[in-house]
Amino acid sequence: MDITDDKLVKIALVTSLIGLIGLIMFTPSIEVKEVKIKDIDRGMIDEEVSINCVVSDIKSSKSGSSYFLTISDGTGQMPLVIFESQVAQMQTNNLDIKDFKDKKVNVVGKITEYNNEMEIVLSEGDSLKILN
């Protein structure tokens, strides 16, 4: 059996379509892992996680464009960093960061390390939600 250019193109096309269909089917099932603060370690750097916690403190950067929140979930506490782009998204949705103080929230963000301390960086402006 000879493989011609036409057959090769058809095989590539069919393989690509199968791959795209697989991506479309399995993408909704990819979920962010929910963790406790005490379980976060250096092996989780660059991993996106979800934490149910309480915002115990809110501080802004010197420029006022970024915020540093202290979150705790009963197992520990850690800083949550909200950069200027996420702050702008929150303001577009009429959310004020100060409204989150002492509220139970769900945070979705990426684990990072800064000055030998683990922290979480908010993924998107809508990744910080108040829980009932």
Side-chain angles (χ1 to χ4, degrees):
M1 180 171 123
D2 292 313
I3 296 181
T4 63
D5 287 343
D6 286 341
K7 288 181 182 177
L8 193 58
V9 168
K10 288 178 184 177
I11 291 170
L13 183 62
V14 169
T15 305
S16 298
L17 286 174
I18 291 171
L20 286 173
I21 291 169
L23 280 173
I24 291 169
M25 288 175 49
F26 293 111
T27 297
S29 66
I30 298 173
E31 294 182 19
V32 178
K33 182 168 69 170
E34 190 169 320
V35 298
K36 299 285 185 188
I37 292 175
K38 71 176 175 102
D39 297 329
I40 296 174
D41 59 22
R42 284 181 170 72
M44 298 174 75
I45 290 177
D46 289 333
E47 197 172 308
E48 193 166 60
V49 298
S50 172
I51 303 172
N52 290 331
C53 55
V54 175
V55 176
S56 57
D57 191 30
I58 300 174
K59 294 179 184 171
S60 64
S61 63
K62 291 179 184 176
S63 66
S65 59
S66 298
Y67 286 86
F68 306 97
L69 285 62
T70 302
I71 57 172
S72 58
D73 68 354
T75 67
Q77 67 178 26
M78 71 184 306
L80 167 65
V81 181
I82 305 175
F83 288 115
E84 185 175 359
S85 60
Q86 288 92 358
V87 172
Q89 285 178 338
M90 293 174 84
Q91 290 171 343
T92 301
N93 295 330
N94 295 322
L95 295 173
D96 185 1
I97 292 178
K98 294 178 176 97
D99 292 340
F100 291 97
K101 181 143 172 58
D102 297 324
K103 298 273 188 344
K104 186 171 183 175
V105 298
N106 175 264
V107 175
V108 176
K110 188 180 282 193
I111 302 296
T112 61
E113 183 178 21
Y114 181 73
N115 286 339
N116 290 326
E117 185 177 337
M118 303 304 291
E119 62 185 18
I120 185 167
V121 175
L122 193 67
S123 293
E124 299 288 331
D126 60 355
S127 296
L128 178 63
K129 297 178 181 150
I130 295 176
L131 301 174
N132 294 330

